[in-house]
Amino acid sequence: MKKIGAEILWECLEREGVKTVFGYPGGAILPAYDALKHSKIHHILVRHEQGATHMADGFARASGQVGVAVATSGPGATNMVTGIATAMMDSSPIVCITGQVGSKLIGSDAFQETDITGITLPITKHNYLVTRADELARTIREAFYVARSGRPGPVLIDITKDAQQSSCDFNWEAAKPQLPGYRPDLSPEAAEYKKALDLIQNAKRPVILLGQGAILSGAQREVRDLVERGGIPVAMTLLGLGALPASHPMNLGMMGMHGEAWVNHTIQEADLLIALGMRFDDRVTGNLKTYATNAKKIHVEIDPAEINKNVKVDVALVGDLREVLQKLVPRVESIDRSEWLDSIDKLKGDSAVRDIQNLPDNGHLYAAHVINDIWRQTKGNALVVTDVGQHQMWEAQYYKHDQPRSLITSGGLGTMGFALPAAIGAKVARPDAEVWVIVGDGGFQMTMPELATIVQENLKINIAIINNGYLGMVRQWQEFFYERNYAATPLLSPDFAKLAGAYGIRAETVTQRSQVVPVVESTRKHNGPVLLDFRVEQEDTVYPMVAAGSALNDMIRRPNPLEETAADE
Ligand SMILES: Cc1cc2nc3c(=O)[nH]c(=O)nc-3n(C[C@H](O)[C@H](O)[C@H](O)COP(=O)(O)OP(=O)(O)OC[C@H]3O[C@@H](n4cnc5c(N)ncnc54)[C@H](O)[C@@H]3O)c2cc1C
Ligand SMILES: Cc1ncc(C[n+]2csc(CCOP(=O)(O)OP(=O)(O)O)c2C)c(N)n1
Ligand SMILES: [Mg+2]
């Protein structure tokens, strides 16, 4: 059957299971927008194309499905770059569709022409320039296959205006992906399993390092089986949080730069690290020369490029984590490791528990209080989307995640402005979820126009601005490493409650500790979006901290240990 390229585009997206796309129109993509009238797909109009990419990313992280963003050529396409790089760093499957000038104009500096496939080459898993309608169906099918298979990631399809306008025969079946050079389904040799089992059996002080790969692979049950069968404690990466419930007795908490002190000490004292779907980011290892020097290392990882990239390992099991664990776990012997577990308990000491609840109310509002109260009030069942900075680290420390895909955050690129749009994507993916945005006063101002998108789409999203009047995380680095020279970090903001009012969003400003619980409760009950402006302590600091380049066990600790201790119920 004959169709024009623009119609083929939407039909292929529908056949790939897409129900919603996030986008912004313009000349080079207008034929596609015109053809949208024949499609069942819901188009959400964003306020900036960066927002569209973060929404697609939030959608993907919340659901495990591919998220889709659409933009025009030139500035529309370049506005997507930050969102694409964010998705690339955190292995998030999105497909970005951009309009391009007519194929005959390419290379002529035509109006709004930019080489977006060239620009995004290093930040996409793969990208395409489509200049003919009859190439579209196969390209779209390939793009979805590449985005979601193996190690997921962003794919961009740039479609010239004439490819959208011209017609051709459309045959979905005949357009099957053909990618002979792409082999995402790897599986390890039997000998590697044997080596891994020997190391596990002989280890006295093993630790599992659990990362986002466990969530992407859907390996929660298999991970739990390994932990319980082997009696092996678990340290989590930021992006792994939720892959094993925080409440599981073997879950030690987060590792790394702002991880728990006892977790970092445990890693440094281990004789075996079992890294599962994590990539030894520098925020996680600290100085590589001093990293877990007494430990053998096993790395289970789907992307061969990650093996021996940062940390040299003794055994690599390259494949999908769930499949690898299904083969490995039944062969792991139960071993009593209580001596090792007891010694970890001792490491915890006073800082094992973070009971800020028991601290007297000294009239100050701390970010940790706010986040911990949100955790208590939502009973840990919310889907939290955070931005980047101090509040992001406090969220990781004070909101306990028991479910996978319940924390969405930009880890690898650390993209300020991510939270608000990503939360929109997450809410669209999971309309029944209670979605909370936890965002700094700085990052919020980077993408706050998306408040209008929330209102236009009538989305119930709760927004907690942790307003400390600073670009807090940068101020913290200046405090520690630049003699408190607070250059360009004090931050003027509008009255956020009034701003929300202008959008028709209910809002409140909170300055007292005693207000937090009632305001969180009324926010949850309100049938519509709510913005809360929490005016928190301005010069508060995230502890512990491993300074960049320091050994993992060399942590800057809070001067008054009482404030760091706290019992969770
Ligand atoms: C301000 C700030 C501070 C930070 N501080 C910390 C910190 O203190 N601690 C911390 O942990 N992080 C911290 N981070 C985050 C850090 O930068 C990294 O993003 C994070 O550690 C990466 O976690 P990961 O390796 O689990 O996830 P990813 O980077 O997503 O890596 C996942 C790995 O799993 C693999 N994988 C994917 N699918 C599968 C599959 N099916 N099977 C097997 N493997 C698979 C991928 O190939 C990849 O190598 C911080 C970030 C910011 C912005
Ligand atoms: C787009 C972007 N620009 C700059 C940075 C560097 N940066 C990291 S954290 C941070 C401060 C964030 O301030 P705010 O949003 O108020 O959060 P806070 O740290 O105060 O909680 C900055 C500027 C970044 N991560 N992303
Ligand atoms: Mg701030």
Side-chain angles (χ1 to χ4, degrees):
M1 205 180 37
K2 281 228 181 284
K3 283 185 189 279
I4 62 164
E7 291 164 343
I8 293 171
L9 167 68
W10 298 118
E11 180 158 350
C12 288
L13 293 186
E14 278 182 38
R15 284 176 184 257
E16 289 292 349
V18 175
K19 299 208 164 42
T20 308
V21 299
F22 307 92
Y24 206 91
I29 193 78
L30 255 184
Y33 273 84
D34 185 54
L36 197 49
K37 60 180 181 266
H38 303 301
S39 171
K40 289 199 259 329
I41 288 178
H42 176 53
H43 177 274
I44 292 184
L45 178 67
V46 304
R47 295 301 179 272
H48 187 290
E49 292 85 352
Q50 180 187 352
T53 49
H54 293 326
M55 287 177 211
D57 188 347
F59 178 96
R61 297 191 205 210
S63 64
Q65 311 293 313
V66 177
V68 178
V70 183
T72 192
S73 65
T78 53
N79 274 352
M80 287 182 140
V81 166
T82 301
I84 296 172
T86 304
M88 183 71 177
M89 285 291 264
D90 290 349
S91 298
S92 188
I94 65 172
V95 168
C96 294
I97 291 160
T98 48
Q100 181 56 282
V101 301
S103 55
K104 293 199 175 57
L105 294 173
I106 285 181
S108 71
D109 292 337
F111 177 65
Q112 294 194 327
E113 182 190 1
T114 195
D115 175 11
I116 197 63
T117 46
I119 290 170
T120 59
L121 189 68
I123 53 165
T124 47
K125 187 171 169 189
H126 196 42
N127 70 25
Y128 299 87
L129 170 63
V130 179
T131 56
R132 288 163 42 153
D134 62 5
E135 291 171 351
L136 253 178
R138 185 189 49 80
T139 306
I140 293 168
R141 290 191 69 172
E142 276 185 19
F144 274 78
Y145 173 64
V146 169
R148 61 162 75 102
S149 58
R151 178 179 187 166
V155 178
L156 180 130
I157 312 173
D158 196 25
I159 311 171
T160 60
K161 201 165 181 179
D162 49 326
Q164 297 169 51
Q165 288 165 322
S166 55
S167 60
C168 66
D169 282 328
F170 171 59
N171 182 340
W172 170 261
E173 296 307 327
K176 250 185 145 152
Q178 287 167 1
L179 293 159
Y182 175 61
R183 286 184 214 90
D185 303 318
L186 302 162
S187 53
E189 303 285 325
E192 296 302 303
Y193 281 104
K194 171 85 177 60
K195 282 193 224 160
L197 281 164
D198 285 348
L199 286 180
I200 296 172
Q201 243 64 285
N202 293 321
K204 300 251 176 320
R205 301 187 306 282
V207 191
I208 289 171
L209 309 180
L210 193 56
Q212 196 194 193
I215 296 171
L216 295 171
S217 164
Q220 289 77 236
R221 221 188 61 204
E222 290 74 10
V223 167
R224 209 179 169 130
D225 287 350
L226 173 65
V227 171
E228 291 172 2
R229 219 181 152 91
I232 307 171
V234 183
M236 314 288 291
T237 68
L238 176 68
L239 295 188
L241 294 179
L244 181 76
S247 54
H248 192 286
M250 300 297 267
N251 190 333
L252 302 177
M254 189 168 81
M255 64 181 97
M257 181 175 272
H258 294 294
E260 306 293 357
W262 65 88
V263 179
N264 290 343
H265 284 301
T266 300
I267 291 169
Q268 293 296 71
E269 289 182 18
D271 66 355
L272 176 66
L273 301 183
I274 309 169
L276 305 180
M278 58 82 72
R279 61 179 177 84
F280 294 106
D281 183 271
D282 54 68
R283 289 286 182 271
V284 157
T285 59
N287 189 333
L288 285 170
K289 286 201 183 81
T290 54
Y291 181 64
T293 44
N294 297 321
K296 299 265 187 211
K297 283 132 196 147
I298 300 172
H299 199 179
V300 187
E301 165 61 57
I302 204 161
D303 182 355
E306 290 295 340
I307 307 295
N308 296 325
K309 186 181 85 177
N310 296 334
V311 170
K312 181 148 175 21
V313 298
D314 299 275
V315 180
L317 297 170
V318 180
D320 172 62
L321 180 62
R322 185 155 174 258
E323 286 173 20
V324 170
L325 289 183
Q326 279 171 350
K327 292 205 180 113
L328 185 80
V329 176
R331 296 163 66 189
V332 170
E333 280 170 30
S334 283
I335 295 181
D336 176 15
R337 295 196 160 100
S338 46
E339 211 176 299
W340 171 225
L341 297 173
D342 287 347
S343 74
I344 295 173
D345 268 346
K346 290 203 188 83
L347 280 176
K348 289 184 180 175
D350 274 355
S351 59
V353 273
R354 289 179 172 272
D355 193 4
I356 43 171
Q357 293 296 315
N358 292 342
L359 286 179
D361 184 350
N362 59 4
H364 296 245
L365 184 60
Y366 289 98
H369 279 148
V370 174
I371 291 161
N372 206 238
D373 281 347
I374 294 175
W375 170 63
R376 282 164 205 272
Q377 295 311 112
T378 59
K379 302 196 167 55
N381 289 323
L383 193 173
V384 185
V385 186
T386 76
D387 215 72
V388 171
Q390 290 185 311
H391 64 280
Q392 179 188 29
M393 294 297 106
W394 282 314
E395 196 284 343
Q397 295 176 341
Y398 290 100
Y399 196 106
K400 311 287 172 184
H401 291 275
D402 279 343
Q403 299 294 330
R405 302 189 189 279
S406 69
L407 168 60
I408 294 178
T409 194
S410 166
L413 202 67
T415 305
M416 283 172 72
F418 173 80
L420 192 68
I424 293 174
K427 183 69 182 176
V428 169
R430 300 212 336 240
D432 296 335
E434 177 177 343
V435 174
W436 278 84
V437 174
I438 295 185
V439 58
D441 42 340
F444 182 72
Q445 292 187 70
M446 285 199 166
T447 51
M448 66 187 180
E450 301 302 345
L451 286 177
T453 311
I454 291 180
V455 175
Q456 189 163 356
E457 293 298 318
N458 193 21
L459 298 170
K460 164 66 180 158
I461 293 176
N462 306 318
I463 303 159
I465 302 179
I466 305 298
N467 185 351
N468 53 10
Y470 277 102
L471 298 173
M473 186 54 95
V474 179
R475 186 206 59 74
Q476 170 165 346
W477 281 55
Q478 291 169 331
E479 176 186 334
F480 285 154
F481 314 118
Y482 294 88
E483 295 160 339
R484 292 180 192 256
N485 175 22
Y486 293 161
T489 42
L491 182 68
L492 179 96
S493 293
D495 181 331
F496 289 122
K498 279 198 183 144
L499 179 87
Y503 285 98
I505 292 177
R506 180 170 142 175
E508 267 179 82
T509 305
V510 182
T511 56
Q512 301 297 314
R513 169 113 177 81
S514 56
Q515 291 173 279
V516 179
V517 168
V519 96
V520 168
E521 271 319 287
S522 66
T523 295
R524 298 181 71 210
K525 288 198 191 105
H526 179 66
N527 183 22
V530 180
L531 182 148
L532 302 175
D533 179 5
F534 291 102
R535 303 277 173 89
V536 299
E537 188 72 6
Q538 294 212 317
E539 293 191 37
D540 198 3
T541 308
V542 181
Y543 291 105
M545 178 174 187
V546 181
S550 292
L552 192 58
N553 50 331
D554 182 8
M555 282 164 278
I556 307 170
R557 305 299 300 272
R558 192 179 283 275
N560 175 0
L562 177 73
E563 289 190 20
E564 200 183 5
T565 53
D568 303 320
E569 284 150 357

